[in-house]
Amino acid sequence: MIQILLEVVPRDLSVVIQEVDFVKNKFKQITGINIPDLLRFENRSWDVASVVRPVFPNVIPHIRAIDFDLDNCEPLVKTLQELQIASVVVIKGDPPTDMSKQVYSTTSVKLIKKLKKEIQHLKVYAAIDQYRVGIKDEFDYIEMKKDAGADGFLTQPFFDMRLVDIFSEKLRGTEVYIGVSPVVTEKSQSYWESRNRAYFPKEFRPSLEWNVKFAKDVLTYCSEKGMNAYLMPIRINLEEYLHQIFD
């Protein structure tokens, strides 16, 4: 059965709880919640995850590798254990705009290996950025993360089924969540293209209708291929988006 993760932005905790409670009751197709770690919010992802867990047991916080000194990871390890976090996804993380915040040279590969060593029961997912470098280089990076102990992968959003197919072939036999995020304005499309180097096919349209159809196509594809999906509804009405996908 296909597993479907939903990304929930860690804003005010009461808002987050209302949101996940709504999703839990209205959309049984959603099987897990993903919490990004965004420095513009006070709440760290693992703290939000601990609050969400009683409502939605399958909750996966993001961990930014560059925020942690590899030689001093005890506080992180202790926190994850005390909060009974069962799964995380490790990303490299973008440098903060606030230069007063300490960052380190820790890579996602090194942190994955460290966490798997320190908390053996912890399920550690790795990220895939299909736009970051050439496909061959990203495939090599995937293998490095597997060797480090990654239990599975979450991808950046796709907008082209042909690219989904290329990465799915590489990831066959691996637990993977194919990312989908609605892009419904030309400004948002331009941001994805310039900032994240995302690829949009010629037939793409920045409309809710196009994005809903694409999400449905991805869910069908994942169901047929034994893969999973990861929905990231950014700056869009969550209820309307999910209703159009699942109703």
Side-chain angles (χ1 to χ4, degrees):
M1 177 181 174
I2 183 174
Q3 302 293 305
I4 304 175
L5 297 178
L6 176 71
E7 181 167 290
V8 174
V9 176
R11 300 183 183 89
D12 181 84
L13 289 181
S14 62
V15 175
V16 170
I17 291 300
Q18 290 176 6
E19 199 167 63
V20 297
D21 189 58
F22 166 76
V23 170
K24 180 78 171 179
N25 292 324
K26 296 294 185 180
F27 298 98
K28 303 301 182 184
Q29 299 92 337
I30 302 297
T31 59
I33 299 295
N34 223 43
I35 309 290
D37 195 43
L38 304 175
L39 299 184
R40 67 179 183 271
F41 297 117
E42 291 183 4
N43 301 311
R44 299 306 297 260
S45 61
W46 46 88
D47 293 321
V48 178
S50 69
V51 175
V52 168
R53 188 162 50 83
V55 180
F56 226 115
N58 183 23
V59 56
I60 309 172
H62 289 207
I63 306 291
R64 289 163 38 92
I66 65 171
D67 290 344
F68 300 97
D69 178 1
L70 203 64
D71 295 325
N72 187 29
C73 281
E74 289 80 7
L76 173 62
V77 170
K78 183 178 180 181
T79 296
L80 295 177
Q81 291 174 324
E82 288 180 346
L83 296 178
Q84 299 181 356
I85 302 298
S87 304
V88 299
V89 54
V90 172
I91 65 172
K92 178 183 178 182
D94 295 324
T97 55
D98 180 4
M99 299 307 293
S100 66
K101 179 173 175 54
Q102 178 73 56
V103 293
Y104 303 91
S105 59
T106 305
T107 66
S108 53
V109 170
K110 290 180 179 178
L111 188 57
I112 289 168
K113 188 173 183 178
K114 180 71 171 180
L115 289 176
K116 291 299 294 184
K117 177 183 178 182
E118 298 295 333
I119 316 175
Q120 295 183 4
H121 66 271
L122 182 69
K123 195 162 193 177
V124 180
Y125 294 98
I128 291 175
D129 186 344
Q130 59 270 27
Y131 311 117
R132 168 175 34 208
V133 291
I135 289 178
K136 175 61 168 59
D137 288 336
E138 189 63 18
F139 282 177
D140 290 343
Y141 203 18
I142 288 171
E143 291 304 317
M144 290 172 63
K145 290 175 179 179
K146 284 183 178 180
D147 291 342
D151 296 294
F153 293 89
L154 279 67
T155 79
Q156 280 273 39
F158 283 93
F159 305 99
D160 190 326
M161 289 303 302
R162 294 170 299 180
L163 199 54
V164 172
D165 204 40
I166 290 172
F167 274 81
S168 296
E169 182 178 348
K170 169 64 178 176
L171 294 163
R172 186 175 299 144
T174 304
E175 183 179 358
V176 59
Y177 290 81
I178 300 297
V180 179
S181 184
V183 172
V184 296
T185 67
E186 291 182 359
K187 182 179 180 180
S188 181
Q189 180 182 353
S190 178
Y191 174 86
W192 274 99
E193 289 174 327
S194 60
R195 177 66 184 272
N196 298 322
R197 303 175 63 191
Y199 173 75
F200 292 82
K202 286 185 178 181
E203 66 269 17
F204 173 80
R205 297 293 180 271
S207 67
L208 181 60
E209 180 182 18
W210 192 96
N211 282 273
V212 166
K213 182 183 183 302
F214 183 76
K216 289 182 175 181
D217 289 345
V218 169
L219 292 179
T220 299
Y221 179 92
C222 289
S223 182
E224 292 174 349
K225 299 291 186 178
M227 307 181 82
N228 305 303
Y230 173 28
L231 302 179
M232 292 169 267
I234 303 171
R235 295 181 181 177
I236 196 168
N237 184 287
L238 177 64
E239 182 175 0
E240 181 182 8
Y241 180 61
L242 294 182
H243 270 304
Q244 291 204 30
I245 291 175
F246 295 118
D247 287 353

